[in-house]
């Protein structure tokens, strides 16, 4: 399973060169392996909204050329001399993180995701100046610490979104006690993150209510994903009936700006957990929080220890995302559809079939 390359140290991927965001074939230098690194043949890579926003430079942080992709599933083809977690042939996943200082207060408690020296797996630079290129490529080199073992029971084409959307909702649910059966979880938004929040909530034994601005998502929420109930945020009667019933709410939507209606749904000491982001300011009168001892908290992905835990939990409880697998040559169309919200619920790119020398049977 060792790689046979025409040019040693060269990788092949698809990159955006400017803010049009158009992706096309691109060759780039593969980072030289260090002792604790592994090299992967990429099999599949999920598409996240972060990929879209970066290649189009919506956040004004693009470092072109950009090879996106941070929901990477691959097979180990090389291991450094100091690697102890993996061996050649292992199936692994790599999410948003490619590096961290490993010594700060956050890293010492397995919160590498909050390390001030966090290195994203694409569109960034390592401390030594090497640029990071993501999973829209045939090969990836990464430190073994930032890879997770893939359980044999999980289908490879559905694992990618767990590494970003999955860990993003799983982490705060565990942190805030939403793994205790019988509690009532509200989920705002039914997209890539929201549908996995519903699935994990059901696996934890929670009562799950989806809160949406789109009435026609009710059938998917209840019949396909297993939510217990569905309420439309603009329906005053439904919102009144649900007032004060939810232990916590996970908000996956970037479009919710007025939080007062959501705060009213919480029990005393309930929390709104923000995992969706917006560049616009949110509105919340402080009295709405003070009068019920309620709070608003944020959460961003998760550390590597909880990421491996999530993978094992997903395997045991058969939690997998709903995906549409697309070819690499169709990735620009997929990005256009993602921007329009035309996906149920996550795109995954079949990377291996775009590079025949990387195919793994």
């Amino acid at each position: 399973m060792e790689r046979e390359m025409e040019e040693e140290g060269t990788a092949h991927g698809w990159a955006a060169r400017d803010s049009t965001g158009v992706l096309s074939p691109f060759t780039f230098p593969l980072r030289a392996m260090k002792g604790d690194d592994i090299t992967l043949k990429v099999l599949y890579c999920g598409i996240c909204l972060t990929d879209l926003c970066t290649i189009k430079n919506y956040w004004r942080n693009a470092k072109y050329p950009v090879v996106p992709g941070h929901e990477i599933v691959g097979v180990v083809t090389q291991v450094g001399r100091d690697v102890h977690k993996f061996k050649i042939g292992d199936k692994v996943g790599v999410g948003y993180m490619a590096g961290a200082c490993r010594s700060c207060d956050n890293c010492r408690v397995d919160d590498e995701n909050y390390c001030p020296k966090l290195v994203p797996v694409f569109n960034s630079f390592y401390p030594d100046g090497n640029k990071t290129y993501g999973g829209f490529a045939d090969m990836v080199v990464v430190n073994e610490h930032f890879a997770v073992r893939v359980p044999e029971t999980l289908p490879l084409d559905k694992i990618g979104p767990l590494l970003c959307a999955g860990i993003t909702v799983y982490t705060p649910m565990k942190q805030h006690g939403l793994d205790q059966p019988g509690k009532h979880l509200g989920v705002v938004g039914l997209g890539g993150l929201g549908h996995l929040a519903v699935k994990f909530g059901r696996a934890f034994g929670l009562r799950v209510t989806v809160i949406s601005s789109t009435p026609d998502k009710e059938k998917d929420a209840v019949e396909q994903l297993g939510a217990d109930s569905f309420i439309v945020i603009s329906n005053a009667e439904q919102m009144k009936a649900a007032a004060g019933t939810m232990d916590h709410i996970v908000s996956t939507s970037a479009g919710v700006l007025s939080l007062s209606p959501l705060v009213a749904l919480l029990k005393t000491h309930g929390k709104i957990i923000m995992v969706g982001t917006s560049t616009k300011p949110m509105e919340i009168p402080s009295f709405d929080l003070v009068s019920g001892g309620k709070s608003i908290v944020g959460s961003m992905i998760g550390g590597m220890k909880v990421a491996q835990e999530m993978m094992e939990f997903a395997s045991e409880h058969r939690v997998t995302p709903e995906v549409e697998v697309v070819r690499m040559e169709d990735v620009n169309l997929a990005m256009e559809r993602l921007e329009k919200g035309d996906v149920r619920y996550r795109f995954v790119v079949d990377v291996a079939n775009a590079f025949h020398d990387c195919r793994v049977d």
Side-chain angles (χ1 to χ4, degrees):
M1 299 182 68
E2 294 287 349
R3 189 180 203 285
E4 296 179 1
M5 301 181 65
E6 294 180 1
E7 298 179 54
E8 186 63 28
T10 299
H12 308 280
W14 281 51
R17 274 77 165 185
D18 54 44
S19 61
T20 63
V22 174
L23 296 158
S24 59
F26 175 67
T27 300
F28 59 95
L30 194 64
R31 180 170 70 84
M33 286 183 64
K34 298 180 180 180
D36 52 359
D37 284 341
I38 58 176
T39 298
L40 314 180
K41 283 183 179 179
V42 180
L43 304 179
Y44 297 96
C45 187
I47 300 178
C48 173
L49 188 62
T50 296
D51 298 315
L52 174 67
C53 291
T54 302
I55 63 175
K56 287 185 172 287
N57 204 25
Y58 289 157
W59 295 337
R60 300 293 184 264
N61 68 339
K63 301 171 180 66
Y64 297 110
V66 175
V67 176
H70 58 277
E71 299 178 351
I72 305 166
V73 180
V75 59
V76 178
T77 61
Q78 295 182 62
V79 297
R81 63 184 179 277
D82 300 320
V83 169
H84 64 277
K85 283 175 57 178
F86 304 106
K87 64 182 185 303
I88 291 175
D90 284 347
K91 305 297 194 307
V92 302
V94 177
Y96 184 73
M97 297 183 290
C101 77
R102 310 279 297 280
S103 62
C104 68
D105 289 346
N106 291 324
C107 287
R108 283 196 292 267
V109 294
D110 302 309
D111 281 340
E112 303 97 330
N113 47 313
Y114 297 123
C115 176
K117 296 182 179 180
L118 173 69
V119 178
V121 79
F122 80 103
N123 193 51
S124 187
F125 293 91
Y126 288 103
D128 63 6
N130 276 301
K131 189 173 182 180
T132 60
Y133 295 100
F136 285 22
D138 58 354
M139 306 292 289
V140 169
V141 175
V142 68
N143 185 285
E144 67 165 340
H145 181 78
F146 296 98
V148 294
R149 186 176 303 279
V150 171
E152 290 292 334
T153 57
L154 289 176
L156 293 175
D157 61 349
K158 291 192 173 186
I159 292 170
L162 291 174
L163 300 165
C164 178
I167 191 64
T168 295
V169 296
Y170 181 91
T171 299
M173 290 171 74
K174 290 284 290 187
Q175 182 178 2
H176 297 286
L178 287 169
D179 57 347
Q180 300 171 21
K183 285 199 170 184
H184 188 182
L185 165 68
V187 177
V188 179
L190 195 64
L193 276 70
H195 92 288
L196 280 171
V198 173
K199 289 194 172 195
F200 276 120
R202 294 297 297 158
F204 283 133
L206 307 179
R207 177 187 170 195
V208 180
T209 296
V210 172
I211 307 158
S212 177
S213 60
T214 311
D216 61 10
K217 289 187 177 181
E218 180 173 4
K219 184 175 180 180
D220 270 8
V222 176
E223 296 182 12
Q224 180 179 348
L225 302 175
D228 296 283
S229 54
F230 181 95
I231 59 179
V232 179
I233 198 166
S234 61
N235 187 313
E237 184 177 336
Q238 290 180 348
M239 293 290 285
K240 182 178 180 180
T245 66
M246 300 179 190
D247 290 284
H248 299 315
I249 294 171
V250 173
S251 177
T252 69
S253 173
V256 176
L257 300 180
S258 178
L259 297 182
S260 290
L262 299 180
V263 172
L265 300 177
L266 294 170
K267 295 179 181 178
T268 302
H269 301 306
K271 299 172 185 175
I272 295 178
I273 305 165
M274 307 296 297
V275 297
T277 60
S278 174
T279 57
K280 298 179 181 179
M282 296 180 294
E283 300 174 2
I284 176 67
S286 59
F287 183 78
D288 291 355
L289 301 176
V290 173
S291 61
K294 302 172 184 180
S295 57
I296 301 169
V297 299
S299 184
M300 184 184 78
I301 52 174
M304 295 311 302
K305 182 178 180 179
V306 72
Q308 187 64 64
E309 175 192 307
M310 176 206 64
M311 296 297 287
E312 303 299 334
F313 182 89
S315 174
E316 180 182 353
H317 296 273
R318 299 182 180 180
V319 177
T320 56
E322 303 297 318
V323 304
E324 180 179 338
V325 179
V326 298
R327 301 178 304 170
M328 184 68 84
E329 51 263 47
D330 297 324
V331 71
N332 288 303
L333 177 59
M335 289 291 185
E336 292 176 11
R337 288 178 54 194
L338 174 61
E339 190 157 26
K340 297 174 183 176
D342 178 23
V343 56
R344 292 292 184 271
Y345 283 89
R346 207 75 166 183
F347 285 119
V348 171
V349 181
D350 182 355
V351 177
N353 275 325
F355 306 100
H356 295 298
D357 61 329
C358 294
R359 180 97 181 248
V360 176
D361 294 324

